[in-house]
Amino acid sequence: MKAKARAHANIALIKYWGKADEALIIPNNSSLSLTLDAFYTDTHVHFDEHLAEDEFILDGKSDPKTLVKISKFADLFRAIKGINTRVRVKSVNHVPTAAGLASSASGFAALGVAINAALDLNMDAEVLSTYIRQGSGSATRSVYGGLVEWQKGSNTTDSKAVFIDDATFDLGMVIVVIDKDEKTISSRVGMQHTIETSPYYTLWAKDSARDLEAMKEAISNKDIDHIGSIAEHNALKMHATMMSANPAIIYMQPDSLKAIQMVQAMRNEGLTAFIAMDAGPNVKIVCKLSESDQIVSRLKTTFKDEQIIVSGPGPDAYVLEE
Ligand code: DP6
């Protein structure tokens, strides 16, 4: 009962921000993301009769805080299999630099794929995504490569990932690492606080549904300018909604704004470049891969080389040879 798997991180172009069901992680709005080639997690699992407790080692160090979530997640699969065997989980996050972009998305997706293989559960990616979702919402989308929708659904079996497009039409991202420290307010806490205190929250969810339809249309037309402009508007609306929470949640830092203004200037010069920030200060730029060199050279006038990472679309999550 051992297996190893790899899953790539994803960045949402239509954001998930808020749960309709907190326990089952069913979102208020459907979301859509690009799986990234440059960031992934490799996870090895071993369900071992000799273990008294679950164990979790991340990048060579034990991580008791995340272990609680991982045990709960493993319980979902143990229940299906009808076993109580404890599991040893070893994960390694692969990021090009010490970027602090290690994501729960690639982590829970790799874990789900590895457990599915180790326990011979034979779930297909779509069904597996409904379990991975219960580890972390954004992880739902990392089961597939390219562009992926997380359909919000209304219950635990239909809130799932759906593959949209392999995104091999020059779509890419440039990531500007502003701060690699762990954020002070987690997405989980931040989104709940926004629902509870922002007068704009319902409008955000409603508008996102409209953005998603427009995004799917832009993807079917392989129109990167349109994809980028919808993504930027969606991301900044999410940040505006967070800022309208009480007390406000502000993830941006002065250098985030500096990067945003540089992107606006690049656009005025004719480059395809749009913002897609998450719950943190790092700035992701939706772009054409063929223009990424030009974008990087402009960013280098202000940011250090190691702060800038280019990524194309990544693959599906998959089982690795041990
Ligand atoms: C801003 O998936 O980390 O990145 O479901 O509570 O684990 P939980 O939250 P998480 O939230 C991600 C929020 C986001 C937007 C997105 O990825 O869609």
Side-chain angles (χ1 to χ4, degrees):
M1 294 202 289
K2 290 183 199 176
K4 191 173 175 186
R6 175 172 297 173
H8 287 251
N10 71 75
I11 301 295
L13 301 174
I14 302 295
K15 305 292 186 188
Y16 145 57
W17 195 251
K19 294 171 178 74
D21 185 318
E22 272 196 274
L24 289 171
I25 313 200
I26 294 172
N28 269 323
N29 62 291
S30 298
S31 54
L32 190 148
S33 59
L34 177 68
T35 297
L36 296 183
D37 198 34
F39 307 91
Y40 57 91
T41 302
D42 285 346
T43 296
H44 183 269
V45 300
H46 182 190
F47 288 84
D48 184 347
E49 299 291 352
H50 299 106
L51 287 176
E53 304 285 344
D54 291 328
E55 290 176 9
F56 178 51
I57 311 282
L58 175 63
D59 296 330
K61 282 183 243 140
S62 84
D63 180 348
K65 208 172 115 202
T66 315
L67 176 63
V68 181
K69 280 189 188 179
I70 287 190
S71 282
K72 236 178 98 197
F73 184 71
D75 284 344
L76 299 171
F77 298 89
R78 283 190 277 245
I80 302 170
K81 189 77 179 169
I83 58 169
N84 195 27
T85 317
R86 301 292 101 186
V87 65
R88 180 180 298 111
V89 177
K90 283 187 190 165
S91 280
V92 178
N93 281 321
H94 294 266
V95 291
T97 58
L101 290 172
S103 84
S104 61
S106 54
F108 276 100
L111 182 59
V113 172
I115 294 178
N116 185 41
L119 300 183
D120 279 326
L121 296 172
N122 293 314
M123 290 185 208
D124 64 25
E126 216 168 89
V127 171
L128 187 54
S129 78
T130 66
Y131 288 91
I132 289 174
R133 189 197 75 230
Q134 296 172 64
S136 179
S138 52
T140 314
R141 301 180 306 239
S142 273
V143 295
Y144 291 119
L147 290 155
V148 186
E149 181 183 351
W150 171 15
Q151 294 182 344
K152 67 175 177 159
S154 58
N155 59 55
T156 195
T157 50
D158 70 357
S159 184
K160 64 185 182 197
V162 173
F163 173 77
I164 300 287
D165 193 290
D166 63 12
T168 51
F169 50 86
D170 203 24
L171 181 63
M173 265 190 203
V174 177
I175 293 101
V176 189
V177 180
I178 304 292
D179 186 344
K180 54 185 169 52
D181 292 339
E182 205 175 323
K183 54 197 173 205
T184 46
I185 305 170
S186 71
S187 300
R188 191 156 296 187
V189 171
M191 62 179 80
Q192 194 51 32
H193 175 67
T194 310
I195 291 179
E196 283 162 12
T197 65
S198 164
Y200 301 157
Y201 182 78
T202 30
L203 191 57
W204 144 259
K206 213 168 116 198
D207 225 42
S208 265
R210 254 203 307 261
D211 287 347
L212 179 68
E213 289 319 305
M215 179 60 80
K216 286 204 239 176
E217 172 82 21
I219 290 169
S220 66
N221 295 331
K222 304 189 188 320
D223 182 344
I224 300 180
D225 279 280
H226 201 195
I227 291 171
S229 82
I230 299 164
E232 177 172 300
H233 191 210
N234 185 266
L236 293 178
K237 279 184 287 189
M238 177 181 76
H239 280 271
T241 310
M242 294 165 172
M243 286 185 200
S244 70
N246 190 11
I249 303 173
I250 304 175
Y251 287 112
M252 287 189 201
Q253 292 180 9
D255 276 355
S256 316
L257 276 176
K258 212 182 258 180
I260 291 172
Q261 283 171 339
M262 288 182 82
V263 167
Q264 286 172 336
M266 288 181 214
R267 212 147 65 210
N268 290 337
E269 292 166 31
L271 286 168
T272 298
F274 296 90
I275 302 304
M277 290 180 74
D278 284 317
N282 300 325
V283 176
K284 290 102 186 185
I285 303 169
V286 181
C287 68
K288 294 180 175 166
L289 279 176
S290 55
E291 289 180 353
S292 59
D293 285 352
Q294 284 165 272
I295 292 171
V296 168
S297 70
R298 278 179 180 64
L299 290 168
K300 279 187 180 171
T301 60
T302 304
F303 299 100
K304 298 192 195 98
D305 290 15
E306 63 267 24
Q307 286 180 278
I308 306 163
I309 300 151
V310 179
S311 183
D316 292 354
Y318 57 100
V319 176
L320 292 164
E321 293 298 318
E322 285 203 56

